[in-house]
Amino acid sequence: MGEEKRKLFSAVQPSGAVTIGNYIGAIKNFVALQDEFDCIYAVADLHAITVRQEPAALRKNTLELMALFIACGIDPEKCILFVQSHVPAHCELTWVLNTLTYPGELSRMTQFKDKSAKHADNVNMGLMDYPVLMVSDILLYQAAVVPVGADQKQHLELTRDLAIRFNNRYSETFTVPEAYIPKGSGAKIMSLADPSRKMSKSDENPNGYVTMSDDRDTVIRKFKRAVTDSGNEVRAAEDKPGVSNLIAIYGAFTGKSAAEIEREFEGKGYGDFKLAVGETVADALAPVQAEKARLLKDKAYLNGVMKRGEEAAARIARKTLSKVYRKVGFYQGE
Ligand code: TRP
């Protein structure tokens, strides 16, 4: 038997289109981390309902995200891949951890404040409790590392705080996880229409984002229209946020460094560069889209993956939960 790998947990919400920003920031790293860590990846449907979802769309998005994960290269033979709501322990641990969490800790969260403003007509308890559910996701699997974007860092800090709080109150139970910032991926992918804002599918301007399902012509057109900066040199620089963003995207899809990309486009203008980025991204998306479409036709296979993932996840989660239940004093028979 080889040495045990460290456990890694992460999740993505099935809340609609997945942008290339989500891909570069999360899914691409999930694939890269499969060999180094014992990876557990979830489709976070319990988190998704903290904002209003159309039930039929949520069901469809869950299946689509599962297919996309696999089409992007997440190997269900290597990882545990499952749907969060299929493992009841997530809600059960959330309840216990709620009793160790103070409302002020949650109402202070940046994401809660942002989402409350955005969904002012639906500021529900779930939205406020969202971070505790995320804490439970992570702690149930005793994950040592959690790859998260900058917007989830506060939630990871709460995870560490609650793990330590529980361990101090009831004795050592939870692994205190660390944030994992993958090498060379400091780049947050920005909107193509306004490089001062993060690329987001909720952007009212669809030219700002490219989704994993956009067809070739759409991808190329969106990159052609991408906002660039003054001058005409393809160079990553603080005063060139548009070009820097395109360099980051091109780099993510080709594996080339910024310096290599600058050399490649020396003496060429923005037009050539934008076309090259568009074609490269379209070429990279085509096989993923084909594989995803193939998988979506094979429901039996996808259901099987989810079932096996659920069983493997539930086994680990149950073990942690029963430890927690014992420590807090729930009677569990002899
Ligand atoms: N909240 C995360 C997001 O929207 C998704 C998520 C849910 C997650 N549970 C998690 C990420 C646990 C890391 C670990 O991006």
Side-chain angles (χ1 to χ4, degrees):
M1 284 276 277
E3 213 169 285
E4 280 231 348
K5 291 180 194 166
R6 292 203 293 163
K7 282 219 189 74
L8 178 149
F9 184 95
S10 202
V12 176
Q13 294 186 59
S15 41
V18 175
T19 70
I20 58 167
N22 304 133
Y23 171 71
I24 295 169
I27 302 175
K28 183 169 175 279
N29 295 319
F30 292 2
V31 178
L33 295 164
Q34 295 182 103
D35 294 312
E36 191 179 343
F37 297 98
D38 236 335
C39 295
I40 304 167
Y41 298 127
V43 174
D45 56 349
L46 297 172
H47 277 102
I49 62 164
T50 57
V51 302
R52 266 190 207 107
Q53 302 287 334
E54 177 60 46
L58 179 59
R59 255 188 300 274
K60 179 165 174 281
N61 290 335
T62 298
L63 202 65
E64 293 226 357
L65 183 55
M66 193 51 87
L68 182 65
F69 274 159
I70 301 169
C72 287
I74 294 178
D75 181 353
E77 304 296 323
K78 271 191 209 157
C79 308
I80 297 178
L81 193 52
F82 74 106
V83 177
Q84 189 187 28
S85 68
H86 294 178
V87 178
H90 292 252
C91 294
E92 296 171 296
L93 182 58
T94 299
W95 179 252
V96 175
L97 294 179
N98 272 337
T99 66
L100 273 82
T101 309
Y102 305 105
E105 290 180 289
L106 299 178
S107 59
R108 271 200 302 274
M109 290 282 175
T110 307
Q111 191 175 74
F112 173 66
K113 287 194 266 183
D114 289 351
K115 287 197 178 174
S116 299
K118 203 169 147 203
H119 305 276
D121 60 336
N122 184 25
V123 183
N124 62 80
M125 288 305 295
L127 191 63
M128 188 161 166
D129 208 29
Y130 176 116
V132 181
L133 178 60
M134 193 165 147
V135 170
S136 301
D137 293 344
I138 297 165
L139 297 186
L140 270 179
Y141 300 96
Q142 307 286 5
V145 279
V146 183
V148 282
D151 60 333
Q152 300 294 319
K153 260 182 92 184
Q154 271 190 333
H155 298 164
L156 197 68
E157 269 152 35
L158 179 72
T159 309
R160 293 171 56 86
D161 288 347
L162 286 180
I164 293 168
R165 199 174 298 166
F166 189 98
N167 288 349
N168 286 342
R169 189 162 311 169
Y170 296 106
S171 82
E172 202 60 29
T173 305
F174 292 123
T175 303
V176 181
E178 275 167 36
Y180 184 86
I181 318 289
K183 301 169 209 86
S185 76
K188 182 158 84 173
I189 302 303
M190 311 307 280
S191 161
L192 301 184
D194 174 3
S196 68
R197 288 170 35 191
K198 193 178 156 187
M199 182 181 283
S200 163
K201 63 162 194 297
S202 42
D203 196 332
E204 64 288 346
N205 179 359
N207 288 321
Y209 57 87
V210 171
T211 81
M212 295 300 285
S213 323
D214 281 350
D215 63 35
R216 184 174 189 84
D217 289 348
T218 306
V219 172
I220 291 175
R221 179 172 41 79
K222 286 180 177 176
F223 278 106
K224 265 191 194 154
R225 290 203 189 151
V227 169
T228 41
D229 315 289
S230 56
N232 54 12
E233 235 183 311
V234 176
R235 187 167 49 81
E238 269 198 33
D239 61 345
K240 284 179 167 260
V243 174
S244 300
N245 188 41
L246 294 176
I247 289 177
I249 294 170
Y250 190 65
F253 280 96
T254 57
K256 291 175 187 166
S257 69
E260 283 171 313
I261 297 167
E262 289 170 358
R263 228 171 299 130
E264 185 178 344
F265 291 94
E266 218 174 300
K268 294 184 187 149
Y270 290 157
D272 287 345
F273 179 51
K274 291 201 279 186
L275 184 63
V277 181
E279 287 180 338
T280 299
V281 173
D283 287 347
L285 295 187
V288 173
Q289 292 169 354
E291 178 62 1
K292 183 181 158 210
R294 191 189 68 77
L295 289 164
L296 283 171
K297 281 195 209 118
D298 194 350
K299 278 260 188 58
Y301 170 75
L302 286 176
N303 289 341
V305 167
M306 285 187 268
K307 190 77 204 152
R308 276 184 286 132
E310 172 195 330
E311 283 165 5
R315 205 170 309 125
I316 305 172
R318 267 284 136 209
K319 201 168 141 200
T320 305
L321 189 70
S322 74
K323 218 187 215 180
V324 167
Y325 276 12
R326 183 161 45 77
K327 297 214 182 184
V328 301
F330 293 161
Y331 181 71
Q332 293 185 87
E334 291 303 292

